[in-house]
Amino acid sequence: MNLDKYLDVAPEIRAALAAGKPVVALESTILSHGMPYPQNLAFAARVEQVIRDEGAVPATMAIIDGRMKAGLTGAELERMCKAEGVAKVSRRDLPILLAEGGTGATTVASTMILASLAGVRIFATGGIGGVHRGAQETMDISADLQELAHTPVAVVCAGAKMILDIGLTLEYLETMGVPVLGLDTDDFPSFYCRKSGFGVDYNAKTPADAARVAKTKWDLGLIGGLLIGNPVPEEYAMDFDEMTAVIDRALAAARDAGVRGKDTTPFLLAHIVEYTGGRSLATNIELACHNARMAARIAVEYAKL
Ligand code: PSU
Ligand code: MN
């Protein structure tokens, strides 16, 4: 298939990939549906600069006017951040949005798809979707997990939020054969906090260690990606007990409001920001920039292998 029919790769990214230089994918749902405007716009520019400062090229992914984009212009980033008429696009939504010429922000799952199509192997995000608490009844399990099982991209995240059942999320990844690494940690992080109480499969002490595991997985022809947990820097971490209470309150609000399906995660994120008086947003921004920095270092090491 000729991908040019659907996909635009920005010239700088195309050149970097052709030369074997490091490129890091970024998602756009974190902008459109994960953070308020205009803080998301400042974040979008900063996170791209963090990647450049490490010697890699950022590739923010989105669907714009029916085309898949790897690499956005300033005006396109602004459009994603204003989020007017911007859908949340996961794997199932992708063909619909392209066929109807729509505009949407890509989740972890669909960003992995775009990255893989463009040839980008390393991706930085904030937190991934996973098995929701109460999934035994709702069957709400993010498509992000299936994507990690199928698509060859290494996702650097600050773990999973406690809006999810972290234990079940890790069980699911084990079943799907997805390696879960920690960057210099034995404990899978829980987004706002450095620990979750659940272990990782491998403590990658350095970005080079993580790059080597990814390279080995793909050399072996094992399908799918990897999940790399990178704890929030100590100075931005939030109190575990406080966040447990805040998240319980947000979950109760979602239940009372009857929120379901793809609206659940954005609803919970917005309420957590509200209940913490914006402190959680500052932490979210810092941890996502830290993930971008480490993802860029992994991409630099991966490019040498
Ligand atoms: N978790 C966060 N911030 C986010 C998301 C998750 O802490 O912005 C977004 C990501 O784009 C992720 C998506 O892929 O939500 C998961 O949504 P769902 O649970 O509907 O699959
Ligand atoms: Mn869901």
Side-chain angles (χ1 to χ4, degrees), residues 88 130 132 139-143 261-262 264-265:
K88 177 179 163 187
H132 278 261
M139 290 195 45
D140 190 351
I141 300 174
S142 175
K262 71 196 272 187
T264 303
T265 298

Side-chain angles (χ1 to χ4, degrees), residues 43-167:
F43 163 74
R46 181 176 155 202
V47 74
E48 290 203 351
Q49 190 56 45
V50 164
I51 289 169
R52 290 186 191 285
D53 289 346
E54 295 293 332
V57 176
T60 304
M61 307 291 178
I63 314 299
I64 296 187
D65 299 329
R67 297 204 48 89
M68 296 190 287
K69 300 275 182 189
L72 303 187
T73 64
E76 288 168 338
L77 280 177
E78 177 139 12
R79 195 165 158 194
M80 285 298 121
C81 289
K82 287 198 165 141
E84 282 157 25
V86 174
K88 177 179 163 187
V89 182
S90 194
R91 169 177 275 263
R92 63 153 185 207
D93 312 291
L94 191 55
I96 301 170
L97 218 75
L98 294 183
E100 70 168 9
T103 293
T106 51
T107 62
V108 168
S110 54
T111 300
M112 288 176 74
I113 296 172
L114 269 63
S116 170
L117 290 173
V120 179
R121 293 299 191 122
I122 314 291
F123 164 22
T125 184
I128 56 153
V131 179
H132 278 261
R133 281 158 69 175
Q136 296 90 331
E137 289 205 352
T138 62
M139 290 195 45
D140 190 351
I141 300 174
S142 175
D144 293 353
L145 299 184
Q146 274 298 319
E147 208 59 53
L148 282 161
H150 293 307
T151 303
V153 174
V155 180
V156 180
C157 70
K161 282 203 175 70
M162 288 174 291
I163 60 175
L164 304 174
D165 187 319
I166 297 178

Side-chain angles (χ1 to χ4, degrees), residues 192-267:
Y192 300 115
C193 309
R194 291 175 58 83
K195 290 179 187 279
S196 67
F198 294 92
V200 295
D201 304 325
Y202 174 63
N203 180 341
K205 299 277 187 211
T206 66
D209 289 342
R212 212 162 35 244
V213 175
K215 169 81 170 146
T216 305
K217 168 162 179 159
W218 296 324
D219 276 351
L220 293 175
L222 297 175
I223 56 169
L226 301 91
L227 188 61
I228 303 174
N230 181 38
V232 56
E234 189 76 62
E235 60 269 40
Y236 303 111
M238 300 184 76
D239 182 74
F240 189 89
D241 294 331
E242 179 197 0
M243 290 317 289
T244 302
V246 162
I247 285 164
D248 284 344
R249 201 176 148 202
L251 287 167
R255 219 160 24 237
D256 290 348
V259 180
R260 291 176 57 245
K262 71 196 272 187
D263 297 331
T264 303
T265 298
F267 180 97

